[in-house]
Amino acid sequence: MKKIYVDEKWCLGCHLCEYYCAFANSHSDNMAKVLKDVVINPRIRIEEHDNISFAVSCRHCKDPLCVKSCISGALTRKDGMIRIDRQKCVGCYTCVLVCPFGAIMPSKDGAMQKCELCVENANGTPACVQGCPNKAIVFEERDEG
């Protein structure tokens, strides 16, 4: 399965991936209108430590603690991808607490959100990958053995 990978040596810390993510999940066709004067709430975020920038997003783990701990059954793993059913999410934050990567966060409506690889709103490539100016974020299949 293809996943998002980040090469921190190429990450500029520009945060454009966050804007492209927020735009892709806004279901709008005009980035300037939908994001102007808005505090964005992307499903990927840039962290900066010791002058190193890197993007944090869901790793779609093979043995996901978030799915195991979800009390409402809102998190599921299908075809290698972790998805959130926002209608089932009760906003208990258990998944946020158990995710070892800090990749799950609350959305504006109280349900949790995470990267779902833009399966519903991109042309086969996640928006953060398409928008990264330095190609620090890639979408590819890797042998993780």
Side-chain angles (χ1 to χ4, degrees):
M1 180 186 125
K2 284 185 168 184
K3 294 182 181 180
I4 291 174
Y5 295 94
V6 180
D7 187 346
E8 64 275 353
K9 71 181 175 204
W10 294 108
C11 181
L12 301 170
C14 67
H15 299 267
L16 279 174
C17 57
E18 295 173 341
Y19 282 90
Y20 279 100
C21 175
F23 174 59
N25 288 291
S26 72
H27 306 293
S28 174
D29 59 356
N30 187 319
M31 183 185 250
K33 281 186 180 179
V34 77
L35 298 181
K36 183 178 180 182
D37 300 325
V38 172
V39 175
I40 63 169
N41 194 13
R43 297 173 184 199
I44 187 172
R45 71 179 184 285
I46 297 295
E47 294 281 333
E48 298 175 27
H49 297 286
D50 298 326
N51 295 322
I52 297 173
S53 299
F54 54 93
V56 175
S57 69
C58 181
R59 308 255 178 115
H60 300 279
C61 303
K62 286 185 179 180
D63 191 24
L65 292 173
C66 60
V67 173
K68 289 179 179 181
S69 68
C70 182
I71 64 170
S72 66
L75 282 158
T76 57
R77 185 172 192 268
K78 184 178 178 186
D79 298 326
M81 186 171 67
I82 311 300
R83 302 279 314 254
I84 295 179
D85 181 337
R86 298 172 60 76
Q87 301 302 318
K88 288 184 178 180
C89 181
V90 295
C92 69
Y93 284 70
T94 303
C95 57
V96 174
L97 295 171
V98 300
C99 177
F101 305 105
I104 304 173
M105 60 215 79
S107 67
K108 290 180 181 177
D109 65 7
M112 299 303 109
Q113 69 177 15
K114 55 173 273 326
C115 174
E116 293 184 345
L117 303 173
C118 287
V119 293
E120 294 179 6
N121 50 17
N123 300 329
T125 303
C128 60
V129 174
Q130 291 176 349
C132 182
N134 221 31
K135 308 297 181 214
I137 305 173
V138 296
F139 185 55
E140 61 190 24
E141 196 158 336
R142 292 184 180 175
D143 181 22
E144 296 180 28

